[in-house]
DNA sequence: CTCTCCCTT
């Protein structure tokens, strides 16, 4: 057993580079390791460093952008080391710490290491920090770049043991990484990937869904019998996936009898777990799987058996407009790096085929890389975290790719309004409230509401409410079951709005005996509801650490007022025909169709919202009715200063 | 007036 494991480790492409890797990482304070998928860098390099004795002087920490990856890789490495998970090899993700006093190799999410850096900005427990999947450029990885670079410098100046930095990436474009990390040594490792044949369309396609359907049917019909490769189609969202699913199922009934059967499966993040699991099951004999997926199958889930990839060249992605404080959610062309990632999904087990539903010329015109997340997100959380680490000179914090200055300024303004930061001339000072806010794993607005609940004596209720607002959605609505879902959920309707409706749903959920079937019957998202319970538990524990009393009061008006303490800027006034204007910027906004206030007539004159997202229009996504008089009580300075309208009639 | 890609603390 142990020897077969050892033989397997030695057969990896990286093994021949073992001695060189150990030598270089020992002699260079920063290294960049470039290796494709299948090189074994993530599992092997930490073990090499451990086996050579480096871990005697401190922890070897490896970050991953995703929880499941951190857990499954640690499990694998513990097996290879013949130790039990949580002993020498462990992992830590939110809600779950599987490490112990003997842990030497620790896999963790990048977000968790960042949180750890708030308590210990020098990362003094670590001898080596390895940032894996750095090419994905998550906002957490990008902030960690600056944090570990700063920690290394400061440890050197204070003569504390050297912090060794290893950046692992799958892209060959290494000069920006190397420049940023003091001309770090770049090491290349062979990957193990099969050849993928690429095909482009000859003309641009006006309707990529139609092209995708045609391509699936052609592949399925043309292929010689005996071969059986699954087809993976990349689409942009649930709607597209479900509509293509229905078309393909209709086509199936017209197949000639000698054709193989086709099993068409949807795949997207919000899909209930039981349905997601179907993509991993073996299809019945003589049946081909056709998986219709969002970009979840690009990196997060690895599907075995895929031989054909159909790439529409489009993705639905987030953006951010700092001037309006607005999240954007738009369908846009992918980057070249993303197109290569999609292609690679066809060559994991054997030679594969990739059909790009665009011309080669349009491929060449795509952006080289996806814009790093830090340049297209709200930075208020990042800013609060940096300040909590003692980094005061925010505007000159060295990012590898600097976020837009407007985003930093907007984030700063938000923190000042929430009284988390005092801005005295040129210096920024974190207030005691701000320090306390940073101890919660929440956006500054939500932390702010939660702390306001101390004064309103409703901490228990706000813990629940901010937990409910921390998950993507509590409602699950399949496209073809909208009416049924609306009907089933009618009993939760609240004339005061979505936030009290969420509380009502939560109460019913807690009193139900069979949670799973209750969620199913009521079109409630079971997985997310279960996450809400984990978040509540964690938030209560942090309240306890902050010596906050868990007071309770369930009055609906009180809860909405408390919520307004963190979201007083998000108020809109009805003008006509369901059209609203934000009180601050006079921007045109609408109630999102998923809101329980969407079809209420007449529309409430004043509402507050906890999310604003621009898709086809600018939508307020969680909406409650408010009395505008509350605003003068809650944010008197703000509404005194900025009010330009005759908002209050009496 | 008709709709939320993917992650994470």
């Amino acid at each position: 057993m142990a020897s077969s494991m050892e033989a397997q480790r030695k057969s990896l492409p990286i093994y021949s580079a073992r001695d060189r890797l150990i030598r270089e990482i020992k002699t260079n304070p920063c290294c960049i390791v470039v290796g494709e998928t299948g090189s074994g860098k993530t599992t092997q390099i930490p073990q090499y460093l451990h086996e050579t004795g480096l871990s005697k002087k401190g922890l070897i920490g490896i970050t991953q952008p995703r929880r499941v990856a951190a857990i499954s890789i640690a499990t694998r490495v513990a097996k290879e080391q013949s130790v039990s998970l949580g002993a020498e090899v462990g992992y830590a993700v939110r809600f779950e710490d599987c490490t112990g006093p003997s842990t030497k190799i620790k896999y963790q999410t990048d977000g968790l290491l960042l949180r750890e850096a708030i308590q210990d900005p020098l990362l003094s427990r670590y001898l080596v920090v390895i940032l894996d999947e750095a090419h994905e450029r998550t906002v957490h990885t990008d902030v960690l770049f600056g944090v570990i670079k700063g920690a290394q410098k400061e440890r050197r100046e204070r003569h504390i043991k050297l912090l060794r930095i290893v950046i692992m990436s799958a892209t060959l474009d290494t000069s920006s990484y190397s420049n940023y990390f003091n001309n770090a040594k770049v090491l290349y490792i062979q990957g193990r990937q099969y050849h993928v044949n690429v095909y482009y369309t000859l003309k641009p396609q006006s309707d990529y869904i139609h092209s995708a359907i045609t391509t699936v049917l052609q592949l399925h019909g043309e292929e010689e019998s005996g071969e059986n490769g699954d087809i993976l189609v990349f689409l942009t969202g649930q709607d597209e996936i479900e509509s293509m699913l229905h078309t393909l199922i209709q086509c199936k009934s017209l197949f000639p009898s000698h054709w193989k059967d086709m099993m068409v499966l949807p795949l997207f993040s919000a899909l209930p777990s039981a349905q997601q699991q179907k993509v991993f099951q073996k299809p019945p004999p003589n049946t081909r799987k056709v998986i219709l997926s969002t970009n979840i199958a690009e990196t997060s889930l690895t599907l075995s058996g895929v031989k054909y990839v159909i790439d529409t060249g489009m993705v639905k992605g987030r953006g951010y407009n700092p001037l309006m404080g607005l999240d954007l959610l738009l369908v846009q062309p992918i980057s070249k790096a993303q197109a290569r990632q999609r292609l690679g999904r066809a060559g994991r087990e054997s030679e594969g085929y990739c059909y790009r539903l665009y011309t080669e010329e349009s491929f060449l015109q795509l952006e080289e890389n996806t814009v790093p997340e830090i340049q297209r997100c709200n930075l208020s959380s990042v800013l609060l975290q940096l300040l909590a680490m003692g980094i005061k000179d925010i505007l000159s914090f060295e990012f590898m790719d600097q976020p837009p200055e407007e985003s930093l300024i907007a984030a700063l303004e938000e923190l000042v309004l929430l009284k988390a930061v005092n801005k005295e001339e040129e210096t920024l000072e974190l207030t005691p409230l701000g320090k306390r806010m940073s101890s919660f794993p929440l956006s500054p607005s939500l932390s702010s509401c939660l702390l306001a609940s101390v004064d309103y004596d409703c901490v228990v209720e706000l813990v629940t409410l901010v937990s409910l607002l921390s998950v993507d959605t509590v409602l699950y609505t399949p496209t073809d079951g909208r009416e049924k879902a609306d009907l089933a959920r009618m009993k939760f309707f609240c004339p005061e709005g979505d936030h009290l409706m969420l509380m009502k749903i939560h109460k019913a959920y807690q009193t139900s005996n069979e949670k799973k079937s209750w969620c199913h019957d009521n079109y409630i998202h079971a997985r997310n509801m279960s996450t809400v319970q984990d978040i509540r538990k964690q938030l209560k524990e942090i309240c306890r650490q902050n010596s906050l009393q868990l007071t309770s009061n369930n009055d609906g008006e009180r809860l909405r007022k408390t919520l307004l303490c963190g979201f007083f800027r998000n108020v809109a006034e009805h003008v006509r025909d369901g059209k609203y204007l934000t009180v601050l910027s006079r921007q045109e906004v609408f109630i999102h169709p998923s809101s329980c206030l969407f079809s209420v007539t007449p529309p409430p004159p004043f509402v507050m919202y906890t999310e604003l997202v621009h898709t086809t229009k600018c939508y307020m996504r969680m909406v409650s009715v408010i009395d505008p008089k509350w605003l003068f009580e809650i944010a008197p300075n703000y509404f005194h200063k900025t009010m330009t309208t005759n908002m209050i009639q009496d």
Side-chain angles (χ1 to χ4, degrees), chain A residues 564 567-571 583-584 626 628 630-645 647-648:
Chain A
L564 208 47
F567 292 96
F568 55 84
R569 294 162 310 139
N570 297 2
V571 176
V583 167
L584 171 67
I626 62 150
W630 298 347
L631 295 168
F632 295 94
E633 180 187 323
I634 284 157
N637 299 332
Y638 187 72
F639 281 94
H640 185 251
K641 267 194 310 201
T642 58
M643 240 190 40
T644 54
T645 59
M647 181 171 83
I648 315 297

Side-chain angles (χ1 to χ4, degrees), chain A residues 37 65-66 133 135-137 170 193 232-237 241 267-269 279-280 291-304 306 309-317 332-348 354 356 358 366 368-371 376:
Chain A
T37 40
R66 285 168 292 278
E133 311 283 10
H135 60 278
E136 288 191 27
R137 304 295 303 273
Q193 183 79 3
L232 172 61
V233 188
F234 283 103
L235 297 160
T236 70
I241 287 170
L267 185 63
F268 48 92
S269 172
V279 302
F280 299 109
I291 298 157
L292 311 181
S293 175
T294 59
N295 42 343
I296 191 171
E298 236 170 57
T299 49
S300 306
L301 294 179
T302 299
L303 306 163
S304 61
V306 172
V309 160
I310 298 175
D311 176 15
T312 57
M314 301 302 278
V315 66
K316 197 180 285 184
Q332 55 207 315
I334 58 174
S335 64
K336 279 185 195 146
Q338 235 173 329
R340 292 191 188 102
Q341 179 69 27
R342 288 179 173 189
L343 168 152
R345 296 317 219 175
R348 296 189 58 87
C354 177
R356 291 181 168 157
Y358 41 93
L366 297 175
E368 206 57 47
N369 288 298
T370 312
V371 178
R376 51 185 171 88

Side-chain angles (χ1 to χ4, degrees), chain A residues 12 38 84 136 142 213 219 255 305 328 370 454 472 555 631 645:
Chain A
L12 286 165
S84 54
E136 288 191 27
D142 267 30
I213 293 168
L219 278 173
F255 283 179
L328 311 166
T370 312
V454 174
D472 275 342
D555 178 62
L631 295 168
T645 59

Side-chain angles (χ1 to χ4, degrees), chain A residues 349-391:
Chain A
E349 284 148 8
S350 61
E351 185 180 2
Y353 303 85
C354 177
Y355 296 84
R356 291 181 168 157
L357 304 180
Y358 41 93
T359 62
E360 185 163 14
E361 197 193 355
S362 12
F363 171 78
L364 293 170
Q365 282 166 3
L366 297 175
E367 290 294 330
E368 206 57 47
N369 288 298
T370 312
V371 178
E373 197 185 355
I374 197 148
Q375 294 184 333
R376 51 185 171 88
C377 73
N378 181 324
L379 292 175
S380 58
S381 292
V382 166
L383 206 58
L384 186 64
Q385 282 179 333
L386 290 177
L387 288 165
M389 283 177 214
I391 297 165

